[in-house]
């Protein structure tokens, strides 16, 4: 439905974050995209649950530009793999969990967004609750990264690293390359979003 909505890139991004966040009960979502110089990320879209009072976090995130080395976004971006932190307040690398944006967030999930043969950004989701990793969701998250990529093709940043570079990083670390998105999963993802 998001693809057929006729919305432009940023609106699609917000709608995709909303569908993902609501279905999986996260309170806040942000999409980060690559910007020059390499390995910098800039917020491209945010969504927050209307029941939350996370306006300050949303505002701080919306206007942020982070070198990827400053937060766990680096793990998801440079490694090309999802990163799940059950309690971000216990991770010293996660600055926003320490209250810089006004609210301490606990559960954090970040994963790369893939488009046109390369990583074009990172999606992140946050919760005030401690969220233990969900094996089933993690098994599907790469496919969600590909679906986000299809939705966000119009918001793609020009200097994102090619998938070949991400694969090289993964192979150097002894990790398997990303899989393709099965058609059956696209149907399942659509049903979950609906």
């Amino acid at each position: 439905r998001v693809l057929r909505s006729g919305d432009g890139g940023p609106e699609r991004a917000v709608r995709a974050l909303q569908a993902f966040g609501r279905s999986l009960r996260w309170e806040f979502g942000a999409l980060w995209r690559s910007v020059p110089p390499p390995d910098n990320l800039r917020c491209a879209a945010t969504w927050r649950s209307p029941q939350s009072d996370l306006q300050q976090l949303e505002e701080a995130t919306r206007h942020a530009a982070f070198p990827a080395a400053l937060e766990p976004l680096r793990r998801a971006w440079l490694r090309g793999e999802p990163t799940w932190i059950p309690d971000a307040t216990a991770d010293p690398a996660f600055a926003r969990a320490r209250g810089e944006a006004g609210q301490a967030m606990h559960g954090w999930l970040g994963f790369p967004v893939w488009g046109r043969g390369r990583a074009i950004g990172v999606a992140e989701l946050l919760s005030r609750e401690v969220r233990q990793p969900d094996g089933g969701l993690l098994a599907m998250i790469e496919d969600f990264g590909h679906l986000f990529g299809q939705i966000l093709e119009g918001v793609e940043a020009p200097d994102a690293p090619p998938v070949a570079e991400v694969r090289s990083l993964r192979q150097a670390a002894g990790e398997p390359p990303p899989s393709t998105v099965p058609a059956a999963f696209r149907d399942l993802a659509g049903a979950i979003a609906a």
Side-chain angles (χ1 to χ4, degrees):
R1 287 191 297 189
V2 173
L3 286 170
R4 292 186 303 251
S5 70
D7 290 336
E11 293 82 14
R12 278 187 187 176
V14 172
R15 290 177 57 123
L17 287 168
Q18 176 185 20
F20 196 90
R22 280 186 175 171
S23 334
L24 299 171
R25 297 187 192 120
W26 292 86
E27 295 176 70
F28 182 82
L31 177 71
W32 298 84
R33 66 179 181 172
S34 170
V35 294
D39 299 337
N40 276 3
L41 297 172
R42 185 166 218 19
C43 183
T46 61
W47 164 83
R48 66 178 167 80
S49 169
Q51 292 81 26
S52 71
D53 60 346
L54 299 174
Q55 295 89 340
Q56 192 174 350
L57 176 63
E58 181 178 32
E59 192 66 23
T61 302
R62 186 179 295 152
H63 300 291
F66 291 112
L70 294 182
E71 291 196 35
L73 290 169
R74 174 183 172 81
R75 293 178 225 160
W77 175 248
L78 294 179
R79 293 182 189 172
E81 64 185 25
T83 300
W84 191 306
I85 301 172
D87 187 357
T89 60
D91 187 328
F94 196 81
R96 282 182 292 160
R98 294 192 299 266
E100 280 85 347
Q103 295 97 355
M105 301 303 286
H106 292 276
W108 186 87
L109 170 63
F111 58 92
V113 173
W114 302 96
R116 295 187 194 161
R118 62 184 186 178
I120 61 173
V122 177
E124 75 171 330
L125 298 160
L126 295 98
S127 172
R128 290 181 184 210
E129 298 176 359
V130 172
R131 304 270 310 248
Q132 295 302 320
D134 179 325
L137 176 58
L138 284 171
M140 296 186 297
I141 205 75
E142 186 171 323
D143 294 328
F144 277 117
H146 286 283
L147 291 170
F148 262 95
Q150 291 175 14
I151 290 166
L152 302 174
E153 283 180 326
V155 208
E156 184 175 348
D159 294 328
V163 168
E165 290 178 27
V166 174
R167 284 191 180 132
S168 299
L169 288 170
R170 294 180 112 195
Q171 289 168 350
E175 300 170 9
S179 63
T180 58
V181 181
F185 177 74
R186 288 187 192 112
D187 298 337
L188 174 63
I192 290 171

